[in-house]
């Protein structure tokens, strides 16, 4: 939201008051409390008829400082509030010191200095050792605003006709870029954008987002987490070019500044604050196949799909039943359509026993349709959100007469979990939690009267996914739970995993999805997926095959569409050519399967450190390379593999390699970075490069499915290694078995961990000569 009309004028209908000086500094239990009048105080008379802002600057933990700005402290601070420090708050002994530059609060490696000059407002955030300036709150950077502008101060005695805002403006340095703020599909660098953090079902081709996360990462070595689930408006160099403005409607605004100095360290500290991602089981990394959305299917269709995939040498680890496993007009009532699935428990058991699939997932949402079996019971028991007059809140958008489960009601949570347990009893292993964005804020009253409906809008995604995830954990174990969620907010990374929502079947939409995955990964989400081939429309064969290559290099991979199937033989009339859809899918599925020893080990590190597995933004691995902060068409898979999807029908692709020697995964040819390169690829490859000094462990060629022994019969591939290069070996549960390491003599230490007929290749992996014919360096 913009409060000004350019540099000199206030926006029409708005009154703005700024903190003009720090009048008083009081030391508190955790830091400093600053009294900041909205005019400079030169005499006692200046203290009258004037608003003040209180800015509390406190040490949260090492490298993290909170800043809370308050106008009227008597305003009730309703919930819900983010569940911060879920694993416990680290101890911190803050330090307050006074010197020539002012009063400084230090929280380990991060400090904030309040300038000591009279009649100034100046707060600088910097590394405690003084080596790095991060950002500042300077003159006219903290304030309050009214709209409409009151013509007389007496009018503010009745605030019912006014909106009140608090805002802060942190400085942007020259060349500084800003990233994150959830899964956003527009420009990767947010500088110059206006961003509203408000969950919405807008698809991937709009400025709306399913997953709004109130955290952004700066290229200068810090991040900002805004501590409220309510709507937040940001003007990122878009109102004042040299500042990031954060505003909320209300009387207080709190955010945390998080110091790295590296972006990985920023995310590590952010994950301490909001929660680390949880582990997901090895089977979830395999290929997921969906029925698609409005397609016509029954038990015979499902079986034919899985048999067709097996015949085409593509194992499916998870089969997903989308919406129409329930009858039309009944979603979500947790009841299989008896005409199409007369005995779902037996059917699911048959699928698993046949070996066609390991696990089964079903679609649900938090909406309860009036015509479904669940509505009457839920309404009578008070499990659904109500209007202020006591009636059940309903509308006809999406499902006729649908209500919304009120997860602030503990009894509603118990009931919902019992419905989920009914699905688990029938053999369901995973849940796709769709929707959850269109949460009403007007004329509603939650069971928990202490919550603010506007704050519940974004926060609903957290409590709903938490309910389902914990139900899965209770049934299957703490590390076996898997969601496939669309809506999210800060902290929802604790309940993996998520996918990118509704994208079109176009190369532009694939690029949108890449940008969305990169941004969400920079908010601490380790695991991310998308609809291979695009959701809306029917993909052309070339788009499908290029998307297959991209999708199988994401942490999780799912074939899913809207009104058309995504099994490969329906895309290109069942072509049997080597570069047809079926063979392309088989090759990329096999590649991901072979990568599982590497992927699963990297996933463990991602969970421990709060990092994305894939898509991992280039800046996380190469923060000192300025180009890395602007790369939005490529990504890292873990720390050692670089992937660049192909977006052009010709197969031509341009990509960037940072400094070092990089080896093509497909040909073992090397390139030296930094620099931009162009290649042309067939459908069985893309620019996939291995970082120098990498020990890459691959599964045995021909292994089927994502679950196998990751230490047996493996191929250990060495890429320009030096002494100390290493790779962790993990078992099927993700537990570390030990480390393979290059010793002083160039030999491989830790060989006793390996089993079976394993091999070692010193110059990269054993490659197939066929790739030499389909990859052209331009």
């Amino acid at each position: 939201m913009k409060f000004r009309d350019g540099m000199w004028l206030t926006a029409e209908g708005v009154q703005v008051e700024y903190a003009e000086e720090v009048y008083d500094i009081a030391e508190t239990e955790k830091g400093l409390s600053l009294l900041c009048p909205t005019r400079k105080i030169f005499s006692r008379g200046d203290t009258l008829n004037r608003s003040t802002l209180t800015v509390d600057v406190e040490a949260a933990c090492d490298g993290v400082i909170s800043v809370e700005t308050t106008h009227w402290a008597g305003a009730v601070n309703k919930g819900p509030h983010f569940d911060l420090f879920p694993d416990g708050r680290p101890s911190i002994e803050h330090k307050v010191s006074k010197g020539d530059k002012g009063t400084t609060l230090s929280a380990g490696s991060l400090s904030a200095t309040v300038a000591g000059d009279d009649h100034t407002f100046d707060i600088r955030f910097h590394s405690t050792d003084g080596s790095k300036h991060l950002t500042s709150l300077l003159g006219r950077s903290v304030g309050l605003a009214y709209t409409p502008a009151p013509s007389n101060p007496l009018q503010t005695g009745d605030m019912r006709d006014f909106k009140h805002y608090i805002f802060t403006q942190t400085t942007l340095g020259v060349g500084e870029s800003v990233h994150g703020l959830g899964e956003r599909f527009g420009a990767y660098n947010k500088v110059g954008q206006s961003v509203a953090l408000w969950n919405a079902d807008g698809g991937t081709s709009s400025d709306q987002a399913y997953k709004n996360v109130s955290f952004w990462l700066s290229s200068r070595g810090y991040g900002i987490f805004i501590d409220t689930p309510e709507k937040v408006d940001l003007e990122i160099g878009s109102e004042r070019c040299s500042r990031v403005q954060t505003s909320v409607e209300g009387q207080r605004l709190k955010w945390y500044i998080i110091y790295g100095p590296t972006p990985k360290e920023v995310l590590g500290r952010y994950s301490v604050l909001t929660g680390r991602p949880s582990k997901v089981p090895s089977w979830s990394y395999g290929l997921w196949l969906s029925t698609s959305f409005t397609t016509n299917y029954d038990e015979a269709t499902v079986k034919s799909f899985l048999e067709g995939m097996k015949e085409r040498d593509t194992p499916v680890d998870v089969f997903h039943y989308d919406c129409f496993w329930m009858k039309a007009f009944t979603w979500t009532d947790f009841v299989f359509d008896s005409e199409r699935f007369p005995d779902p428990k037996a059917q699911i058991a048959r699928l698993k026993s046949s070996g066609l699939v390991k696990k089964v997932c079903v679609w649900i949402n938090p909406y309860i349709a009036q015509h479904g079996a669940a509505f009457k019971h839920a309404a009578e028991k008070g499990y659904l959100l109500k209007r202020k007059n006591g009636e059940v809140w309903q509308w006809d958008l999406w499902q006729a007469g649908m209500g919304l489960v009120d997860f602030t009601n503990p009894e509603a949570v118990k009931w919902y979990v019992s419905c989920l347990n009914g699905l688990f009893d029938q053999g369901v292993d995973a849940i796709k939690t769709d929707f959850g964005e269109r949460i009403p804020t007007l004329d509603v009253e939650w069971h928990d009267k202490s919550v603010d409906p506007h704050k519940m809008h974004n926060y609903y995604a957290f409590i709903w996914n938490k309910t389902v995830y914990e139900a899965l954990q209770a049934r299957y174990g703490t590390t076996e739970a898997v969601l496939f969620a669309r809506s999210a907010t800060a902290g929802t990374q604790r309940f993996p995993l998520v996918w990118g929502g509704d994208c079109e079947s176009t190369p532009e939409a694939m690029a949108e999805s890449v940008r969305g995955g990169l941004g969400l990964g920079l908010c601490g989400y380790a695991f991310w997926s998308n609809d291979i081939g695009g959701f809306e429309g029917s993909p052309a064969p070339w788009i499908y095959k290029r998307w297959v290559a991209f999708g199988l290099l994401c942490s999780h991979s799912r074939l899913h569409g809207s009104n058309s199937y995504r099994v490969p033989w329906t895309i290109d009339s069942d072509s049997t050519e080597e570069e047809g859809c079926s063979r392309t899918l088989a090759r990329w599925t096999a590649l991901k399967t072979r990568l599982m020893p590497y992927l699963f080990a990297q996933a463990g590190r991602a969970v421990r450190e709060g990092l994305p597995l894939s898509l991992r933004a280039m800046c996380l691995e190469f923060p000192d390379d300025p180009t890395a902060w602007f790369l939005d068409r490529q990504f890292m898979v873990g720390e050692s593999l670089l992937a660049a999807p192909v977006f052009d029908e010709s197969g031509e692709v341009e990509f960037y390699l940072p400094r070092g020697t990089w080896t093509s995964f497909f040909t073992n040819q090397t390139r030296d970075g930094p620099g931009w390169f162009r290649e042309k690829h067939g459908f069985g490859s893309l620019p996939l490069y291995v970082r120098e000094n990498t020990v890459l462990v691959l599964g045995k060629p021909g292994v089927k499915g994502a679950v196998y022994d990751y230490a047996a019969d493996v191929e250990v591939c060495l890429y320009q290694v030096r002494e100390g290069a290493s790779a962790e070996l993990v078992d099927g549960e993700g537990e570390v078995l030990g480390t393979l390491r290059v010793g002083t003599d160039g030999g491989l230490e830790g060989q006793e961990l390996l089993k079976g007929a394993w091999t070692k290749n010193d110059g990269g992996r054993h490659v197939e000569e066929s790739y030499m014919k389909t990859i052209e360096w331009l």
Side-chain angles (χ1 to χ4, degrees):
M1 180 175 180
K2 292 182 170 69
F3 297 108
R4 299 201 67 84
D5 180 2
M7 281 285 289
W8 319 121
L9 303 177
T10 302
E12 185 176 351
V14 177
Q15 176 177 309
V16 182
E17 301 176 27
Y18 296 98
E20 296 286 3
E21 69 169 72
V22 177
Y23 179 77
D24 182 68
I25 303 176
E27 190 169 342
T28 65
E29 183 180 351
K30 297 180 181 179
L32 303 172
S33 184
L34 316 179
L35 178 60
C36 306
T38 55
R39 69 174 295 175
K40 297 184 185 298
I41 306 301
F42 296 102
S43 69
R44 289 185 173 182
D46 293 336
T47 65
L48 303 177
N49 301 312
R50 179 56 51 183
S51 61
T52 61
L53 291 155
T54 302
V55 181
D56 292 308
V57 185
E58 297 184 343
C61 59
D62 180 22
V64 182
I65 287 176
S66 68
V67 178
E68 183 170 23
T69 302
T70 306
H71 179 204
W72 291 335
V76 176
N77 188 14
K78 286 190 170 184
H81 305 290
F82 285 129
D83 181 18
L84 300 185
F85 299 107
D87 297 317
R89 181 187 291 266
S91 60
I92 179 69
E93 291 187 12
H94 72 276
K95 179 183 177 182
V96 174
S97 58
K98 295 184 179 181
D100 295 339
K101 294 183 178 180
T103 303
T104 298
L105 167 69
S106 298
S109 59
L110 175 64
S111 292
T113 296
V114 183
D117 298 336
D118 291 338
H119 309 300
T120 62
F121 186 93
D122 186 320
I123 306 173
R124 311 275 173 138
F125 299 94
H126 55 90
S127 60
T128 297
D129 63 11
S131 63
K132 194 163 188 178
H133 169 71
L134 304 175
T135 188
S136 304
L137 292 170
L138 301 180
R140 296 203 155 195
S141 65
V142 173
L144 62 97
Y146 294 99
T147 179
S151 58
N152 185 316
L154 289 173
Q155 291 178 300
T156 62
D158 181 354
M159 289 295 296
R160 289 176 294 180
D161 294 329
F162 295 95
K163 291 186 176 181
H164 181 283
Y165 299 88
I166 295 287
F167 64 87
T168 62
Q169 295 178 346
T170 52
T171 55
L172 281 171
V174 176
E176 183 174 357
S177 58
V178 169
H179 308 270
L181 294 172
E183 182 191 59
R184 317 203 75 82
F185 306 106
Y188 176 53
N189 177 14
K190 306 307 177 205
V191 174
Q193 296 183 41
S194 299
V195 175
L197 301 181
W198 191 251
N199 284 1
D201 176 8
T204 70
S205 293
S206 76
D207 63 350
Q208 296 180 359
Y210 303 103
K211 306 171 189 69
N212 287 271
V213 181
S214 53
F215 171 79
W216 54 269
L217 179 71
S218 165
S219 59
R220 291 176 67 91
Y222 70 95
I224 298 284
F225 168 62
I226 306 157
D227 185 17
T228 179
E230 67 190 300
K231 183 181 181 183
V232 179
D233 286 299
L234 294 113
E235 299 294 341
I236 309 167
S238 50
E239 175 170 305
R240 186 161 181 180
C241 295
S242 59
R243 294 182 179 182
V244 177
Q245 177 175 281
T246 304
S247 64
V248 296
E249 184 179 351
Q251 294 291 337
R252 54 176 59 83
L253 168 61
K254 184 175 183 179
W255 46 260
Y256 293 79
I257 180 169
I258 306 169
Y259 178 49
T262 69
K264 281 187 175 181
E265 290 171 301
V266 173
L267 286 189
R269 288 183 167 127
Y270 171 73
S271 70
V272 171
L273 187 62
T274 62
R276 290 187 173 89
S278 297
K279 286 184 178 181
V280 289
S282 56
W283 54 261
S284 72
Y285 294 80
L287 183 63
W288 294 51
L289 175 63
S290 166
T291 59
S292 294
F293 171 31
T294 61
T295 53
N296 192 17
Y297 70 94
D298 54 16
E299 179 173 354
T301 312
V302 172
K303 186 178 180 183
S304 71
F305 280 176
L306 292 170
E307 288 177 340
M309 295 291 278
K310 184 177 181 180
E311 290 168 3
R312 292 161 179 81
D313 201 29
T314 304
V316 174
D317 281 275
V318 186
F319 189 82
H320 169 70
Y321 293 82
D322 216 54
C323 313
F324 280 97
W325 64 271
M326 297 172 285
K327 288 184 177 181
F329 294 112
T330 70
W331 307 339
T332 294
D333 68 353
F334 307 94
V335 178
F336 273 85
D337 183 341
S338 59
E339 295 178 8
R340 296 178 178 272
F341 306 101
D343 191 352
K345 183 175 183 179
Q347 178 203 346
I348 292 172
R350 286 192 294 270
L351 288 178
K352 292 179 180 179
S353 64
S354 69
L356 290 173
V357 69
K358 290 185 179 70
K359 302 290 181 180
V360 164
C361 174
V362 297
W363 175 98
I364 63 171
N365 62 198
Y367 312 135
I368 309 297
Q370 179 172 290
H371 301 286
F375 182 87
K376 183 178 180 181
H377 176 76
E380 289 177 349
K381 293 293 185 179
Y383 299 157
L384 303 179
L385 177 64
K386 293 182 179 180
R387 300 188 189 275
K388 290 181 178 179
N389 65 5
E391 296 178 353
V392 173
W393 175 88
Q394 292 179 266
W395 66 15
D396 291 326
L397 183 63
W398 180 243
Q399 288 289 286
M402 70 173 213
L404 179 69
V405 179
D406 185 346
F407 289 106
T408 73
N409 182 348
E411 294 303 314
V413 171
K414 290 179 183 178
W415 168 75
Y416 200 80
V417 169
S418 72
C419 295
L420 295 173
N421 282 326
L423 295 177
F424 303 155
D425 291 341
Q426 295 178 84
V428 172
D429 307 281
I431 299 291
K432 174 182 172 180
T433 51
D434 202 354
F435 288 82
E437 301 91 7
R438 292 171 176 163
I439 307 303
T441 59
L442 304 176
D443 189 31
V444 293
E445 185 172 80
W446 294 85
H447 174 82
D448 182 352
K449 303 300 189 295
S450 69
V451 304
D452 179 344
H454 287 84
K455 291 183 179 181
M456 281 297 299
H457 176 86
N458 286 350
Y459 194 76
Y460 190 88
F462 180 89
I463 58 173
W464 176 41
N465 285 303
K466 180 176 188 286
T467 297
V468 180
Y469 188 77
E470 290 180 348
L472 284 160
Q473 285 185 312
R475 173 57 68 97
Y476 296 118
T478 56
T479 60
E480 285 291 310
V482 179
L483 298 182
F484 222 86
R486 191 174 77 173
S487 60
T489 188
T492 317
Q493 69 270 11
R494 292 158 51 186
F495 320 121
L497 57 105
V498 296
W499 99 98
D502 299 348
C503 47
E504 296 174 314
S505 299
T506 64
E508 293 81 9
M510 185 164 71
E512 292 163 6
S513 295
V514 172
R515 294 193 296 269
L518 290 171
L520 193 65
L522 290 176
C523 296
Y525 282 73
F527 308 112
W528 180 85
S529 185
N530 62 96
D531 291 342
I532 293 176
F535 177 73
E536 297 287 353
S538 299
W542 78 266
I543 293 174
Y544 179 87
K545 289 181 284 187
R546 295 303 182 191
W547 212 313
V548 161
F550 160 50
L552 268 297
L553 289 173
C554 299
S555 75
H556 290 77
S557 309
R558 182 181 70 155
L559 294 164
H560 181 66
S562 179
N563 55 11
S564 58
Y565 301 121
R566 290 293 178 266
V567 287
W569 56 89
T570 66
I571 306 296
D572 64 355
S573 301
D574 202 13
S575 170
T576 58
E577 295 180 0
E578 187 61 26
E579 290 213 334
C581 290
S582 292
R583 287 301 306 142
T584 298
L585 178 61
R587 293 182 74 172
W588 283 103
T589 304
L591 171 58
K592 186 173 187 183
T593 299
R594 287 202 69 197
L595 285 172
M596 275 303 295
Y598 168 76
L599 290 174
F600 211 35
Q602 288 287 307
R605 296 188 64 176
V607 166
R608 293 192 297 272
E609 299 174 22
L611 301 174
L613 171 59
S614 175
L615 309 181
R616 181 176 295 185
M618 297 294 297
C619 61
L620 287 176
E621 294 296 332
F622 304 96
D624 296 328
D625 186 333
T627 303
W629 289 91
F630 295 91
L631 298 172
D632 63 357
R633 287 172 290 160
Q634 62 186 70
F635 54 90
M636 297 295 290
V637 182
E639 62 185 4
S640 297
L641 294 179
L642 182 154
V646 179
F647 300 100
D648 194 272
E649 187 172 5
S650 69
E652 293 187 11
V653 55
E654 187 176 31
F655 59 97
Y656 177 83
L657 296 176
R659 185 176 303 279
T661 299
W662 296 82
T663 304
S664 168
F665 180 86
F666 293 107
T667 67
N668 282 345
Q669 295 172 288
T670 62
R671 290 189 184 273
D672 290 324
W676 286 92
F677 303 91
R678 292 176 64 241
E679 294 178 358
K680 187 174 182 179
H681 284 260
F683 292 111
S685 64
L686 50 65
L688 182 63
Y689 278 81
V690 186
R691 193 175 184 175
E692 66 181 13
N693 206 34
T694 290
V695 178
L696 182 64
V697 182
L698 299 175
K700 179 181 178 180
V703 65
K704 301 296 183 184
V707 182
Y708 57 92
D709 190 335
Y710 303 133
D713 304 321
V714 297
E715 181 181 0
V716 181
C717 313
L718 307 182
Y719 293 87
Q720 292 86 40
V721 294
R722 302 182 292 274
E723 180 186 349
S726 64
E728 287 183 338
L729 279 180
V730 297
D731 64 15
E733 302 300 318
E735 297 301 321
V736 178
L737 299 172
T739 302
L740 298 176
R741 191 180 308 275
V742 176
T744 54
D745 59 354
L748 186 65
E749 300 173 354
Q751 296 183 22
E752 69 279 1
L753 301 169
L754 301 172
K755 297 180 284 186
W758 63 275
T759 60
K760 178 171 77 75
N761 292 321
D762 292 322
R765 77 182 187 100
H766 174 74
V767 300
E768 302 171 39
E769 293 299 321
S770 62
Y771 283 111
M772 295 294 186
K773 302 176 183 178
T774 60
I775 300 176
E776 181 181 354
W777 288 16
L778 303 176

